[in-house]
Amino acid sequence: MFRSIARTDNAEFELARDLRHIEDVWNEIATGLPVYWQKFLDRLRPPASDVIEILGARVQQEPSTQADGVLLVSAFDVAVEEFESEAAKYREFFDEGAIEEYEEDPNAFKHLMTRELPVIARTLRQSNKELKEWQKKFRLARPADLLAVFTNVLDFYDEWSANHSVVAYKSYNAPAEFQLAPINDDENLNIPGVIGMGIKTIVLFHKDPQRMPQLGRFALFGLYFLSGRKSFGMISDSSEFLMINDETKAANGSFVMDQNYWYPYDVFSLYLLRIYRWISSKAAEQGFGVDDQRRYVYVERFLEAVCAEHLDDMKTMRAHDSFGIPA
């Protein structure tokens, strides 16, 4: 999508939600999954030296034949450990008792965010010039507004969670079943240019990795590559998973192609849930059992591996040194 069009015209977002369109995109993703799964496994295999010495003789070493299930343990168990370490920080920060204290002092809430909420603290520390505008807007944001938005996001989640059991969720197969459109559309869950889909879904992902995927760079670029980089009838003849900033050029004069940070969260959730089902089935064949409670941790790690196959492409698309605003 082109930013100038997406900002004022909903036609491409409506197409992205069309059920026949979704099936066309999914069929392409399903075609790409086995290819990238094999690449994922190959990357996990320990490298073998071309030649080794045995009893004084130099012989060619055979490639590693380590079982795929063992490889998956090495990748996914580490992913879960890393996630849990990070998630603990989010859970502590948004503990119910802590929220009550923040209501007494919104200034303390904002101050603590800059030090203890990982997504905010890390983004503020980055020196990339592309983040200067976001950093400025964050620092100018009123503490009470920041507290209100995060309180609203968590209240929305609590109400949504009560109406979408983990049992029901796992069988969803259409965007409408997720009932997640307010995450995109409700102005009470957003501060323009400061708190948007990226930050909101990072927080929700660390709260509930079973039902709240992270709408981030690796996931959306991963979908772009899995879907064969095709446009599927988009008016702009571009991928729905990318946002092309045709309003502000990079320093080298090119357009920056970043993840589509406005992508419909319900459609996104459907694609990632289907990918998880595929991963779960494939992993079971290879002797590894996934844990539904950490569903999107596995998907995120796999999509990171998809992107790892295209790092040079991503550097070029993102104008080498450009980093998208997490909001």
Side-chain angles (χ1 to χ4, degrees):
M1 295 186 184
F2 283 85
R3 185 179 172 93
S4 62
I5 299 174
R7 188 189 293 280
T8 58
D9 189 338
N10 286 327
E12 292 195 326
F13 291 104
E14 292 172 0
L15 178 58
R17 281 194 165 100
D18 179 82
L19 296 181
R20 285 181 295 180
H21 173 87
I22 287 171
E23 293 310 314
D24 288 342
V25 175
W26 172 250
N27 288 337
E28 190 67 33
I29 291 173
T31 299
L33 282 171
V35 176
Y36 282 98
W37 183 257
Q38 188 58 54
K39 292 177 183 289
F40 176 49
L41 292 174
D42 290 343
R43 277 183 171 269
L44 295 175
R45 299 186 197 284
S49 302
D50 291 336
V51 177
I52 59 175
E53 187 170 307
I54 300 178
L55 298 177
R58 293 172 63 81
V59 298
Q60 190 75 25
Q61 186 175 10
E62 293 295 324
S64 171
T65 57
Q66 195 169 19
D68 290 345
V70 175
L71 297 174
L72 293 176
V73 169
S74 69
F76 287 145
D77 281 5
V78 168
V80 168
E81 289 175 9
E82 292 173 351
F83 169 81
E84 289 299 335
S85 175
E86 191 82 344
K89 301 172 186 176
Y90 286 88
R91 292 168 185 153
E92 181 178 359
F93 188 84
F94 288 111
D95 176 79
E96 186 174 339
I99 291 291
E100 292 178 359
E101 292 183 13
Y102 299 148
E103 290 173 351
E104 298 293 326
D105 188 355
N107 290 316
F109 172 74
K110 182 177 181 180
H111 176 68
L112 288 171
M113 285 179 73
T114 66
R115 295 188 305 159
E116 298 180 11
L117 191 61
V119 63
I120 299 295
R122 288 172 186 159
T123 309
L124 287 172
R125 286 197 299 266
Q126 291 188 39
S127 59
N128 304 302
K129 63 181 181 180
E130 290 79 10
L131 285 174
K132 295 299 182 185
E133 185 65 22
W134 180 87
Q135 292 166 347
K136 177 182 177 181
K137 288 182 178 180
F138 176 83
R139 291 191 170 97
L140 291 174
R142 295 174 62 240
D145 292 342
L146 290 167
L147 177 59
V149 163
F150 279 106
T151 299
N152 291 341
V153 168
L154 295 174
D155 286 347
F156 168 82
Y157 167 79
D158 288 341
E159 182 177 349
W160 177 90
S161 180
N163 292 293
H164 296 268
S165 71
V166 295
V167 175
Y169 181 96
K170 68 189 301 182
S171 65
Y172 288 170
N173 208 34
E177 293 179 282
F178 291 87
Q179 296 185 322
L180 287 170
I183 294 289
N184 287 92
D185 303 333
D186 190 333
E187 63 182 18
N188 294 315
L189 307 181
N190 176 57
I191 298 178
V194 181
I195 306 299
M197 290 300 297
I199 290 174
K200 286 185 292 189
T201 61
I202 287 172
V203 169
L204 292 173
F205 169 63
H206 286 93
K207 183 177 181 66
D208 184 354
Q210 187 168 9
R211 292 173 293 176
M212 291 281 144
Q214 175 178 311
L215 193 140
R217 180 172 303 129
F218 290 124
L220 286 160
F221 268 101
L223 290 173
Y224 167 68
F225 294 122
L226 280 170
S227 61
R229 315 187 195 203
K230 296 182 179 180
S231 61
F232 298 98
M234 286 282 151
I235 298 169
S236 61
D237 195 29
S238 62
S239 171
E240 65 199 76
F241 300 116
L242 301 182
M243 184 58 68
I244 303 169
N245 188 352
D246 57 332
E247 297 176 328
T248 305
K249 292 184 178 181
N252 62 6
S254 64
F255 290 153
V256 175
M257 303 170 70
D258 217 328
Q259 77 271 16
N260 187 351
Y261 31 77
W262 293 334
Y263 197 77
Y265 192 53
D266 48 5
V267 182
F268 174 76
S269 296
L270 175 59
Y271 287 133
L272 263 64
L273 179 57
R274 288 183 175 184
I275 289 174
Y276 172 76
R277 291 172 184 150
W278 190 93
I279 289 175
S280 177
S281 174
K282 198 67 177 177
E285 292 175 9
Q286 295 163 333
F288 180 83
V290 294
D291 176 4
D292 283 355
Q293 293 184 13
R294 297 176 176 88
R295 172 179 288 125
Y296 292 122
V297 177
Y298 304 118
V299 177
E300 181 79 7
R301 183 52 54 95
F302 173 63
L303 292 175
E304 287 176 8
V306 171
C307 291
E309 299 293 328
H310 301 280
L311 291 181
D312 288 340
D313 290 332
M314 290 177 66
K315 288 179 181 178
T316 300
M317 294 164 69
R318 303 181 61 244
H320 298 277
D321 60 349
S322 177
F323 289 83
I325 296 171

